Amino acid sequence: MVLLVRPFSRRAALAVALLFTLVAAAVRPSLAVDNAPAAPSTVAGAGVTLHSVNVNFPDPGRMFPGDSKADAINNNCLACHSAGMVLTQPALSRAEWQSEVEKMRSIYKAPVEEADVAAIVDYLVALTDRK
């Protein structure tokens, strides 16, 4: 039996380093104590250095404000996006929001009904007007 061994590609080395980092974090429960952010760390190997970062994500349980005016966006967009993530986007024009919603539908295959598109765009434009 002949075993051929190829050297790791840079992409494979990065994937392995990331996997080891995630495994190390999973087996060190002290990092999660009191939800305190872990001190930044560095892992190096195969000519690649990875640096950890602390990231604060928006609250995933938050809904879009606006009662019935927010129904279309709450019913369609929260499947993939948090309200906090959308609410912190830069101000866009109506055409730009229309393009973004159409991109979600056509490129990312978001299951947004055509009938809901106008209400979603109207809601997003109204957010932009308030900023």
Side-chain angles (χ1 to χ4, degrees):
M1 177 176 169
V2 175
L3 180 63
L4 298 175
V5 178
R6 288 189 244 161
F8 277 101
S9 68
R10 187 171 192 89
R11 180 179 284 170
L14 282 171
V16 170
L18 178 60
L19 179 62
F20 283 147
T21 303
L22 292 173
V23 169
V27 297
R28 289 180 26 203
S30 63
L31 292 177
V33 174
D34 297 327
N35 287 332
S41 63
T42 302
V43 177
V48 176
T49 302
L50 301 175
H51 300 278
S52 68
V53 296
N54 292 321
V55 179
N56 294 321
F57 291 103
D59 178 8
R62 187 172 166 195
M63 302 282 280
F64 289 96
D67 300 322
S68 63
K69 291 181 181 179
D71 284 348
I73 198 163
N74 279 322
N75 293 337
N76 287 283
C77 302
L78 290 177
C80 299
H81 304 288
S82 69
M85 192 276 299
V86 175
L87 293 170
T88 58
Q89 294 302 303
L92 299 178
S93 69
R94 176 174 293 279
E96 290 168 322
W97 278 123
Q98 181 75 37
S99 176
E100 286 299 308
V101 173
E102 291 302 331
K103 177 177 68 176
M104 295 301 140
R105 294 181 72 225
S106 62
I107 307 267
Y108 298 110
K109 306 301 181 203
V112 176
E113 295 294 325
E114 180 67 36
D116 290 336
V117 171
I120 292 169
V121 172
D122 288 345
Y123 184 88
L124 294 168
V125 169
L127 286 176
T128 300
D129 292 343
R130 284 189 284 190
K131 288 185 180 180

